[in-house]
Amino acid sequence: IAHFLNLSSILTQIITLFRHFAINACLAPLYSLEGMHIITVEGIGNCRRGLHPVQERLAEAHGSQCGFCTPGFVMSMYALLRSSKQPPTKEQIEDSLAGNLCRCTGYRPIIDAFGVFAKTDDSLYTASPSESANGKAICPSTGKPCLCRNETDVNGNESSLLSSVKTYLPSSYNEIDGNAYNEKELIFPPELQLRKIMPLRLNGFNGVRWYRPLKLDQLLQLKSCYPEAKLIIGNSEVGVETEFKNAQYGVMISVTHVPELHTLKVEEDGLRIGSAVRLAQLQDFLKKVIAERGSLQTSSCQAILRQLKWFAGTQIRNVASVGGNICTASPISDLNPLWMSTGATFQIIDVNNNVRTTVAKDFFLGYRKVDLKDDEVLLSVILPWTRPFEYVKEFKQAHRRQDDIALVNAGMRVHITEAEGNWIVSDVSIVYGGVAAVPLTAGKTESFLVGKKLDYGLLDEAFNLLKEDIPLAENAPGGMVEFRSSLTLSFFFKFFLYVTHEMNTKGLSEGLDVANMSAIQSYTRPVTTGTQGYELVRQGTAVGQPMVHLSAMLQLPNFPLGSLVSSSQKMCPVLTILGQLDSSKKRILGQLSMMGRFLHLMSLLVLARSLESLWQTPMIMQKLLQIK
Ligand SMILES: Cc1cc2nc3c(=O)[nH]c(=O)nc-3n(C[C@H](O)[C@H](O)[C@H](O)COP(=O)(O)OP(=O)(O)OC[C@H]3O[C@@H](n4cnc5c(N)ncnc54)[C@H](O)[C@@H]3O)c2cc1C
Ligand code: FES
């Protein structure tokens, strides 16, 4: 996790607020972390110094098997705890883990492990199951008959059926702390606090240059010197391009410290959102604005906030920016259809300080192509307030809810006004993503709807027009054409139901059929619950016992165990390790992933050494080191 000064404090050097963010190390260029305190899983605790309470819980609750995902889960949870003033809720815990994937455990033990840090309802973990009339145990969590109860066998031995519920004792972050953990929590290093933030100019391999301006005019100057320079904010797109698509950029300009691009302002005509604003920051800001302004003016804000919930995971939202998403112009961007349908405008500045404004609808020109010249930079987005009787709704369908890209997404807005005693559509905008190279506007459907009363009678015609507006050829990229076509229609149907319901609550339209009510509610994932029942087979050995496996203690701090290194020739000695990395990775600009690879090689040596000292088997050493 990156632990750094709140941006305002970086800029003013006055406020000393610190925040902890979990981020993906593999997408964090080393240079982008200059001035920050980086906390890794090795730093918070290990089996020699004592495990951190978060690590300890994961091991105790059997939340680690192969250990591949374990450091990520630990750090996500650690970041949440360090940045929460109160114990987090279960929802917050699950949300913070949405960007972590595990192939082995099935998630229940992981979520259960961290459940003890939540503020909600310890009784779920501690209360004994009660008994129903027929003598069956009632689970305190679900209220249904279950196998939670410990039973005594005929010989009086404890329990043949155990449930994971039994294993949770009431505990809090502080109570667990101190068990084996004797370290103090890491603080933001004083020397970093005193450090003056400077503009950066760094040289990498192959003449690659990295700039970090601190002011807008410095950025514009750099852009005029290097029109083709790549701007970088969160690197969640550029990092993927350089790592997996062989993209190479000679000059990179990190704009994370340019204050003008971080504007977040409530203005008369709407919100001004700087292009470098992180998505997590935008979420917080939107929540505040919605709470302050109420629902009337904030229908667009609410739609964007709901869409952000399903945008990647916390680690990506902590770094990814509004401008990075817009300028990438990905066909499956979750936000671009919303900017278009809400009538947002983009402010663009050129190297001569001229600012122009364009509507979002005109900005996307082709596949990953936008209306932005080499000497221009996206400055900010203006999101207009919604008017009375103006409704905005977001849609996204993916293979799974969280941390997945959309199969189809959409943004829809309608404004209903009264004309001669009828409530009719005066303005409507329907935009789909994931169906073409750019987000598509359903122009014919929009024209058909304007001036009409929104009722069931016009649905058939609207559906026919939608099929014409959003055609999906049989061989359309992404496949699943029939399914995706039906999604475009069902999104519109849901929007129709939503608006009808909203108007109905004001007594201005007919009521909804009860059967359709579920379609208007935004999806909310309930907190996960689950128990594991298993039979204890006592054989006098560890077999059959729910024991914490020993390597869990090593996996939690990501203790290096070993790594396979392939070679094109057999029997090659290791000549140099660092030198070898240097030559093969020259094109990479100080990526953290490089550090990871270095650690893998180092771990091989550690393994080799420990094998040698443990078993004195030079043969194994020889074999392990036969790499070039
Ligand atoms: C694991 C993962 C999950 C993801 N999930 C989703 C998802 O659910 N939905 C979704 O829509 N996207 C998703 N993305 C894509 C990505 O996170 C977003 O597009 C993100 O918003 C990009 O922002 P960034 O700051 O990281 O961009 P960067 O990678 O830093 O930059 C992206 C591009 O924008 C340009 N750029 C940035 N700022 C400006 C500016 N001010 N002016 C001009 N050009 C600029 C850069 O030069 C670059 O070409 C995901 C990515 C990953 C890796
Ligand atoms: S991937 Fe999660 S323990 Fe193996």
Side-chain angles (χ1 to χ4, degrees):
I1 66 168
H3 175 185
F4 51 92
L5 280 162
N6 173 298
L7 188 74
S8 58
S9 120
I10 291 178
L11 300 172
T12 61
Q13 298 284 314
I14 297 169
I15 312 162
T16 45
L17 290 173
F18 302 103
R19 287 198 61 185
H20 294 74
F21 295 99
I23 63 172
N24 289 321
C26 60
L27 285 172
L30 199 51
Y31 298 162
S32 71
L33 301 172
E34 198 276 340
M36 296 181 195
H37 181 210
I38 303 161
I39 304 177
T40 65
V41 75
E42 296 83 0
I44 65 169
N46 62 44
C47 35
R48 277 193 300 269
R49 297 197 327 260
L51 291 176
H52 188 273
V54 173
Q55 297 169 316
E56 202 175 78
R57 275 302 303 152
L58 204 61
E60 274 174 7
H62 313 283
S64 134
Q65 281 186 41
C66 77
F68 186 79
C69 68
T70 308
F73 276 102
V74 168
M75 294 316 285
S76 293
M77 188 63 212
Y78 176 83
L80 177 68
L81 289 174
R82 289 291 312 261
S83 49
S84 312
K85 290 193 187 101
Q86 305 289 332
T89 63
K90 285 185 174 185
E91 288 84 353
Q92 284 170 327
I93 291 180
E94 288 190 23
D95 270 353
S96 76
L97 302 179
N100 294 87
L101 301 181
C102 175
R103 306 170 297 184
C104 307
T105 65
Y107 298 103
R108 186 200 52 76
I110 299 172
I111 289 177
D112 282 348
F114 295 149
V116 294
F117 299 116
K119 71 173 168 206
T120 40
D121 207 2
D122 270 351
S123 68
L124 296 184
Y125 301 103
T126 57
S128 306
S130 55
E131 237 175 51
S132 69
N134 60 11
K136 283 201 168 166
I138 301 291
C139 175
S141 158
T142 62
K144 293 181 181 156
C146 68
L147 302 175
C148 297
R149 193 172 57 156
N150 300 341
E151 290 175 358
T152 309
D153 64 23
V154 282
N155 301 322
N157 293 330
E158 197 214 310
S159 177
S160 60
L161 282 171
L162 287 182
S163 148
S164 55
V165 170
K166 180 190 174 239
T167 57
Y168 304 121
L169 298 170
S171 49
S172 72
Y173 186 35
N174 291 333
E175 281 163 23
I176 292 182
D177 192 354
N179 233 349
Y181 187 68
N182 47 26
E183 296 286 310
K184 292 263 182 297
E185 284 295 8
L186 297 161
I187 56 157
F188 193 82
E191 56 271 33
L192 279 181
Q193 275 192 64
L194 298 174
R195 190 180 164 81
K196 194 161 180 265
I197 302 290
M198 305 280 283
L200 291 185
R201 178 192 188 278
L202 299 162
N203 294 322
F205 297 123
N206 291 338
V208 170
R209 261 175 277 174
W210 175 281
Y211 290 96
R212 187 186 70 187
L214 297 186
K215 291 181 183 158
L216 184 61
D217 55 1
Q218 291 171 355
L219 163 64
L220 297 180
Q221 245 176 17
L222 282 167
K223 248 307 198 185
S224 82
C225 295
Y226 307 106
E228 304 208 333
K230 197 73 178 161
L231 262 56
I232 291 201
I233 306 175
N235 197 46
S236 67
E237 290 284 358
V238 176
V240 173
E241 287 169 16
T242 48
E243 190 72 355
F244 299 111
K245 299 180 186 168
N246 289 327
Q248 292 186 4
Y249 302 112
V251 181
M252 304 201 207
I253 308 176
S254 167
V255 297
T256 48
H257 288 55
V258 176
E260 291 85 343
L261 303 188
H262 282 274
T263 314
L264 266 176
K265 262 197 201 153
V266 173
E267 295 185 345
E268 207 176 311
D269 49 351
L271 293 182
R272 181 181 295 271
I273 304 162
S275 62
V277 166
R278 320 287 179 142
L279 299 179
Q281 229 181 324
L282 180 62
Q283 281 181 297
D284 292 344
F285 181 65
L286 290 175
K287 278 180 204 160
K288 199 168 142 254
V289 169
I290 293 164
E292 280 168 10
R293 293 232 155 198
S295 59
L296 202 62
Q297 288 186 305
T298 59
S299 190
S300 297
C301 301
Q302 292 172 52
I304 289 172
L305 185 62
R306 287 190 299 260
Q307 191 77 321
L308 283 172
K309 183 167 171 64
W310 310 117
F311 188 116
T314 312
Q315 296 87 343
I316 291 291
R317 291 196 301 265
N318 278 340
V319 294
S321 63
V322 171
N325 189 255
I326 292 171
C327 294
T328 298
S330 160
I332 42 101
S333 155
D334 287 328
L335 293 181
N336 291 342
L338 274 165
W339 299 129
M340 289 168 70
S341 60
T342 54
T345 52
F346 298 158
Q347 284 209 307
I348 294 160
I349 188 164
D350 72 11
V351 294
N352 299 316
N353 249 316
N354 301 314
V355 178
R356 71 178 170 99
T357 302
T358 179
V359 289
K361 266 196 173 179
D362 296 340
F363 189 70
F364 304 99
L365 304 180
Y367 180 70
R368 294 184 181 247
K369 204 163 163 248
V370 292
D371 174 20
L372 204 62
K373 295 189 202 78
D374 275 349
D375 65 351
E376 291 182 321
V377 168
L378 178 65
L379 193 60
S380 57
V381 176
I382 314 277
L383 178 67
W385 302 119
T386 43
R387 298 161 284 184
F389 302 104
E390 188 167 25
Y391 303 104
V392 182
K393 196 89 171 94
E394 77 301 336
F395 298 94
K396 173 174 180 176
Q397 181 69 49
H399 284 295
R400 60 164 190 252
R401 284 283 171 188
Q402 288 180 305
D403 206 14
D404 201 358
I405 56 174
L407 296 169
V408 180
N409 52 25
M412 300 187 193
R413 175 183 60 84
V414 69
H415 186 209
I416 309 226
T417 49
E418 194 180 9
E420 295 164 9
N422 285 323
W423 288 88
I424 56 159
V425 174
S426 61
D427 182 17
V428 59
S429 181
I430 303 170
V431 185
Y432 287 94
V435 287
V438 286
L440 280 192
T441 300
K444 289 182 192 164
T445 318
E446 289 177 359
S447 308
F448 166 72
L449 292 172
V450 171
K452 305 239 169 27
K453 186 165 182 286
L454 209 57
D455 64 26
Y456 283 88
L458 52 69
L459 275 182
D460 280 346
E461 184 57 18
F463 285 151
N464 287 334
L465 290 169
L466 265 180
K467 282 185 212 159
E468 286 177 31
D469 277 330
I470 316 292
L472 268 169
E474 262 178 42
N475 59 352
M480 294 186 288
V481 169
E482 220 172 307
F483 175 50
R484 284 158 69 212
S485 292
S486 73
L487 285 176
T488 58
L489 302 188
S490 63
F491 285 174
F492 177 73
F493 182 52
K494 283 183 169 186
F495 183 59
F496 165 83
L497 293 175
Y498 170 71
V499 177
T500 308
H501 178 69
E502 288 295 313
M503 292 300 284
N504 177 249
T505 56
K506 297 178 177 73
L508 300 174
S509 98
E510 54 191 299
L512 278 195
D513 201 288
V514 183
N516 287 330
M517 285 303 276
S518 66
I520 62 166
Q521 284 146 13
S522 291
Y523 176 79
T524 45
R525 195 166 65 78
V527 169
T528 311
T529 54
T531 55
Q532 184 186 16
Y534 48 90
E535 198 171 351
L536 269 186
V537 184
R538 293 192 185 276
Q539 297 175 335
T541 68
V543 176
Q545 303 294 309
M547 296 179 72
V548 173
H549 67 101
L550 287 179
S551 47
M553 304 299 170
L554 298 175
Q555 288 162 358
L556 287 159
N558 206 12
F559 197 77
L561 289 168
S563 164
L564 290 177
V565 179
S566 57
S567 160
S568 54
Q569 292 171 40
K570 56 182 178 176
M571 308 294 282
C572 336
V574 178
L575 298 178
T576 53
I577 290 178
L578 276 173
Q580 207 185 344
L581 271 181
D582 288 345
S583 60
S584 66
K585 289 288 160 201
K586 273 182 182 163
R587 68 187 171 78
I588 296 182
L589 237 186
Q591 296 273 349
L592 267 188
S593 56
M594 193 163 116
M595 232 191 237
R597 276 166 213 164
F598 169 71
L599 283 175
H600 271 296
L601 283 167
M602 290 307 288
S603 63
L604 183 69
L605 287 184
V606 171
L607 174 65
R609 288 213 184 106
S610 54
L611 285 175
E612 188 191 37
S613 60
L614 279 176
W615 301 310
Q616 299 294 311
T617 47
M619 281 301 290
I620 296 176
M621 263 291 277
Q622 223 181 340
K623 276 223 158 103
L624 279 166
L625 293 178
Q626 280 163 5
I627 51 171
K628 189 173 184 180

